[in-house]
Amino acid sequence: MEENNQIIQNESSTLNNDDDSIFDPMESDNQIMGAPSHKKPHLQQQPKGIRVIGYTLIGFFVLMFAIAIVALIL
């Protein structure tokens, strides 16, 4: 029974992978040529100024969308 629990835990840990890399069949060729990787950049990893600009733009577009919806309803 303990072995089954350990196997299930090992399988679930491999399923919950937080790696954000995208499958690239030519990854080895890209590494040889020095091409950049295809990992998604996280907003939390950006400098503070860029995050502020990003959140401001996102907020602006959401606000404009909400105003447009309200204007169509009224």
Side-chain angles (χ1 to χ4, degrees), residues 6-30:
Q6 186 176 8
I7 291 171
I8 290 171
Q9 288 176 351
N10 288 341
E11 289 177 357
S12 66
S13 66
T14 57
L15 292 176
N16 296 331
N17 189 1
D18 291 334
D19 186 19
D20 288 337
S21 62
I22 298 172
F23 175 72
D24 185 9
M26 298 182 61
E27 185 174 359
S28 62
D29 294 338
N30 288 343

Side-chain angles (χ1 to χ4, degrees), residues 57-70:
L57 286 174
I58 290 170
F60 175 76
F61 287 120
V62 168
L63 183 65
M64 290 296 115
F65 181 73
I67 289 172
I69 296 296
V70 170

Side-chain angles (χ1 to χ4, degrees), residues 42-63:
H42 292 286
L43 195 55
Q44 287 80 16
Q45 293 175 342
Q46 301 299 324
K48 188 176 182 180
I50 300 222
R51 283 185 292 177
V52 169
I53 292 170
Y55 286 131
T56 303
L57 286 174
I58 290 170
F60 175 76
F61 287 120
V62 168
L63 183 65

